[in-house]
Structures are given as structure tokens and as C-alpha cells.
Amino acid sequence: MLIGDVARRSGVSARMLRHYDALGLVRPTGRTRAGYREYSGEDIRRIFHIESLRSLGLSLREIGRALDDRDFTPSELVDDLIRQTQERIAAETELLTRLRRIGAADPAGWEDVLQIVALLRDLGATSAGRRQRAALSSAGEVPVPVEALVEAALSEADPNVAGALRWALAQSGDDALAPLAQGLGSPVAEVRVRAVRSIAEIPDGGATTLLRDALASPDVVVRRYAALALGTRGVADAVPTLVDMVVEGVNDVDAADTLSALASRPASAEEIAARLVGRLALGTVEASARLRVTQALAEIPGITASRALADLSQDEDRAVALTAAYILRIRDAR
């Protein structure tokens, strides 16, 4: 079969067939009297083998080795191809993500595009200072796409940079909530905490709804951050978790302050005091926990809190009794 016929039937151009011949990959078995290349059935089968291996990403040199070296084992080469393909996919995915983010920012011109690219690059810089400056400048005339800010916030370990990123996300408002909600469901504990802390700094609205949902999280740290944020927003659903924090001594001062703010209404004050007293009634609360409850009751108005403090002034632990008695004297003086 002549080269033109082979090209038509195989889909490999005549130019490529000549290139294969020059490399020694497929040398035609014969020649016509006029000197034209003539391919046998075995030659054509070899061409199809070459094309099959090319489809896997092998170079022509690797293909020649695979076809001619009897000791050749494909496993190592296939593993290498898998690695190269994964790296290429990762690079292309990163590029696609960057392009989508630039498109989402709706740049007005190339100057805007260049500024966005620079900010995206700085958000991923090794220097914490550069990352922080990028976060603080992200709310400028050409803002960084919110998805990029969320990704940076959920992966940031430096506390100063993390704070700047949370501030930037707060400027984005509800646009940041959907990707942050995904962060709440992350299998990585650190990511979940960063997500709830970021949501906590976004003003009322959808953020409050997400924080309410976070109160039911199986992650106790997430629940605690959500409770503190909700308490400052006046959401009474946070009270049980805040009481637990006081008793367990985890951010107990912040929890007690939040309970005090929630107790501004008489009905709320009675409910909060009742919950604190209920924990004491279990009878297994250590002296240190009783002291924290006593201190928390100091800022809770109402009869229930006063009665509990009177009981605590007779506590077997001297520090608890003296603290309760002191608080009662101050309350009476008011």
C-alpha cells in the first residue's frame, strides 16, 4: 500500500509517516519500481500501535523503546505518565480557577486585570506581610474575587493575616457565605474553625442563620465560636453552649460577658440564671467550676441569681463562699 493510501486509511498524514520513517519507527517494508514507499499489513499495524501509544502521551522516543525493546516493562513509564498528567491537570485547574475569579470580578480593563492578578499572587505569597497587605487592599476599587478570599482565609495559619482576611470577607457580606458554609463541613478541624470565625464577623443576615446551624455542629469548638457570635447578636439559642463554656472553663470570661449581655431582659436573665443553677444542682461540679458560675452570676440580674448566690455564700469551698458573699454585698448596695 502506498503512502497516500496509508495516510487516508490511518488518519496519519503523509508528512508524519515520512517523519516516522526518518526516525526508524516505521520503515516501509518495500519500495515500488518507481521508488515509492510501500507499506505492508504489518507496517500498518505498527502505525496503529504508535498512534495508540501517542494517545497516552508518550513521546516518539518512548514509543520506539516500547515497541522495540523486548525487556521493556510499561509499569514504570505508565506511573510516570500518571504523575505528569496529574501535574498537568492541577496546573490547568489552577489556571481555570484564576480565570474564573478574574471574570467574576468583572474587570473594566487590562489595568484592572493586572491588579487582580497581582492581588491573587500576593494572597498566595510566602511572606505573611504580603498576604496581609493583599487582604487589606482587597476591598479597593478592584476587589479580589470573594472565592479567592475565602480560600485564603480557610488556609491561613498566621493570626494577623487571618484577621485581615476575616475583615476583608466581612466587607464582602453575604457573597462570602456560600463558600464559607462549605468550609463548615470540611473534614479538617482547622478549616471548620476558620470558617465559623469568618462567618462570625459578617453582619446580621444570612450569617446569623449559618451560625444557628453551627450550634448543632458535632465539632464542639465550632459550636463555641458560634455561640459567642450569636450571643453578641442577642440570639438566646446560644445560652446552653455559653453556660457549658462557663462550667467547663473554656473561654469562660468571654462566655460570661456574653451571658451578661443576653441577660438585659428580665425573662432572659431568669432563664440564664436557672441554667447556671441547674448545672450546680447536678452535685458533681468541682470547686473551680462553682467559682466560675458564681462569677458569671454576678452580672445576671434577678431573683434566681440572687438566691443562687446566697446558697453559694455557704459553699464548702472558702473561695467560692467569699466570692458569692462579696457579690451579694455589691448587689445589695445597688
Side-chain angles (χ1 to χ4, degrees), residues 285-292 294 311-325:
V285 180
E286 295 182 354
S288 58
R290 296 199 302 276
L291 180 60
R292 289 191 294 272
T294 302
D311 291 339
L312 287 165
S313 67
Q314 305 300 317
D315 194 271
E316 62 185 21
D317 184 87
R318 181 174 173 77
V320 173
L322 289 174
T323 301

Side-chain angles (χ1 to χ4, degrees), residues 217-225 241 248:
S217 170
D219 187 329
V220 65
V221 180
V222 169
R223 294 200 302 271
R224 289 166 178 163
Y225 275 113
T241 303
E248 295 163 11

Side-chain angles (χ1 to χ4, degrees), residues 52-183:
S52 295
L53 292 173
R54 281 187 67 194
S55 71
L56 296 178
L58 273 69
S59 67
L60 293 178
R61 178 178 297 178
E62 290 168 334
I63 291 171
R65 179 184 167 209
L67 293 177
D68 297 332
D69 186 353
R70 293 185 177 182
D71 296 328
F72 174 78
T73 55
S75 58
E76 182 177 345
L77 181 58
V78 170
D79 289 343
D80 191 46
L81 286 172
I82 291 172
R83 179 187 57 78
Q84 292 176 20
T85 303
Q86 289 173 332
E87 291 175 354
R88 187 168 62 252
I89 290 172
E92 292 294 328
T93 301
E94 182 180 351
L95 175 60
L96 178 60
T97 300
R98 184 174 300 176
L99 289 170
R100 283 176 172 166
R101 287 172 176 171
I102 292 172
D106 195 20
W110 285 112
E111 287 297 323
D112 290 351
V113 171
L114 293 175
Q115 185 175 345
I116 295 168
V117 170
L119 286 172
L120 290 174
R121 183 186 62 242
D122 288 347
L123 282 176
T126 56
S127 165
R130 283 181 61 187
R131 297 198 304 276
Q132 185 174 18
R133 286 191 295 272
L136 293 174
S137 62
S138 65
E141 294 181 3
V142 184
V144 171
V146 67
E147 291 83 0
L149 287 174
V150 171
E151 181 180 325
L154 295 183
S155 61
E156 183 58 63
D158 184 282
N160 295 322
V161 181
L165 286 165
R166 290 195 296 273
W167 171 85
L169 286 172
Q171 313 313 303
S172 302
D174 286 355
D175 290 342
L177 293 179
L180 284 172
Q182 293 181 354

Side-chain angles (χ1 to χ4, degrees), residues 208-247:
T208 301
T209 301
L210 280 182
L211 290 168
R212 285 180 184 270
D213 293 341
L215 280 178
S217 170
D219 187 329
V220 65
V221 180
V222 169
R223 294 200 302 271
R224 289 166 178 163
Y225 275 113
L228 287 170
L230 287 169
T232 60
R233 298 175 190 221
V235 178
D237 293 349
V239 169
T241 303
L242 292 170
V243 169
D244 288 344
M245 292 169 67
V246 170
V247 174

Side-chain angles (χ1 to χ4, degrees), residues 313 320-332:
S313 67
V320 173
L322 289 174
T323 301
Y326 175 73
I327 293 170
L328 280 173
R329 285 196 298 272
I330 293 176
R331 289 167 75 97
D332 291 341

Side-chain angles (χ1 to χ4, degrees), residues 240-260:
T241 303
L242 292 170
V243 169
D244 288 344
M245 292 169 67
V246 170
V247 174
E248 295 163 11
V250 180
N251 287 356
D252 54 289
V253 175
D254 292 336
D257 289 343
T258 306
L259 288 171
S260 173

Side-chain angles (χ1 to χ4, degrees), residues 3 14-28 31 37 39 50 60:
I3 190 170
R15 181 178 180 183
M16 183 59 75
L17 290 171
R18 294 189 187 97
H19 185 52
Y20 288 170
D21 187 359
L23 293 176
L25 278 175
V26 183
R27 289 205 169 110
R31 293 271 180 173
R37 295 173 175 85
Y39 291 83
I50 291 170
L60 293 178

